[in-house]
Amino acid sequence: MRKLTFAMNVTLDGYTAAPGDDLGWSGSEGPDSSPSDELFQWWSDRVAATGLSLYGRKLWAAMSSHWPTADQQPGATPAVVEYARRWRDMPKVLFSSTTSAVDWNTRLVTGDAVTEITRLKAEDAGPMDIGGATLAAAAMRAGLIDEYVLVTVPVLVGGGTPFFTALDSWVNLTLVENRTFPGGVLLTRYETRR
């Protein structure tokens, strides 16, 4: 059975995006900055270790508009080149009822996300990551997420898209890792107690 992890950058007040889907806060050195080299490498290594990545429409749009050609941009660093290659090569599933075509090693699912995620989890294959707060909320409510990774950036945005959704019952977690990155960014990783 595959492990499903929900991992995203999050503000200190718990949002994955500020109002208007603004992600300008997500750099470790303040608004409109980039993550530290150390944090960027951590995300790149995570992509390399992921067997399958599950995307909601909004996060897919953001990622697929940049990473397929990021390594071809003037001034692309070796780390960006490596991440772009890893992202393109990683198998992906996009859950969307409005998208009609995908590329870059991606399969489109237009049906029920929870049913498909449940089927994918039952496979004997590598770990899965889920990205996008709306898609993750459906998996969270269904009790499908095995691990939560919060990369907390020390900024308050006051509203937006929350990392966690409203739940019908408590989910008990066990802290399995914490790590500090430059700029006061804190990674915390929790496993769901079953």
Side-chain angles (χ1 to χ4, degrees):
M1 180 174 248
R2 289 177 142 166
K3 177 165 61 169
L4 179 61
T5 301
F6 179 31
M8 289 191 76
N9 290 342
V10 61
T11 65
L12 186 59
D13 52 350
Y15 297 98
T16 60
D21 294 326
D22 183 355
L23 300 175
W25 56 268
S26 62
S28 61
E29 302 301 322
D32 300 317
S33 70
S34 298
S36 68
D37 291 345
E38 185 181 348
L39 178 58
F40 189 83
Q41 187 63 52
W42 182 88
W43 278 114
S44 184
D45 292 344
R46 180 157 192 88
V47 167
T50 299
L52 179 65
S53 190
L54 312 179
Y55 280 95
R57 182 187 51 80
K58 287 182 183 179
L59 184 59
W60 166 258
M63 297 294 282
S64 67
S65 69
H66 179 72
W67 288 110
T69 59
D71 57 336
Q72 300 162 24
Q73 300 305 311
T77 65
V80 166
V81 170
E82 178 182 56
Y83 185 96
R85 179 187 50 77
R86 288 173 167 179
W87 188 86
R88 280 192 309 264
D89 291 348
M90 176 180 57
K92 296 170 277 302
V93 175
L94 169 61
F95 293 87
S96 174
S97 60
T98 59
T99 304
S100 58
V102 293
D103 206 344
W104 309 292
N105 204 16
T106 305
R107 179 172 63 88
L108 177 63
V109 172
T110 58
D112 181 67
V114 170
T115 300
E116 180 63 9
I117 294 168
T118 300
R119 187 190 71 74
L120 290 168
K121 275 194 66 149
E123 293 178 351
D124 185 24
M128 297 187 302
D129 271 9
I130 188 167
T134 303
L135 178 62
M140 203 180 298
R141 283 189 298 274
L144 296 173
I145 298 180
D146 302 300
E147 187 174 84
Y148 296 86
V149 179
L150 291 85
V151 178
T152 305
V153 178
V155 63
L156 304 173
V157 297
T161 306
F163 182 90
F164 292 104
T165 188
L167 298 170
D168 295 328
S169 59
W170 293 8
V171 176
N172 293 308
L173 306 171
T174 301
L175 178 67
V176 293
E177 180 184 4
N178 64 47
R179 179 176 172 185
T180 302
F181 289 94
V185 174
L186 179 64
L187 178 143
T188 50
R189 184 168 61 93
Y190 298 90
E191 288 181 348
T192 302
R193 284 191 230 157
R194 304 237 187 242

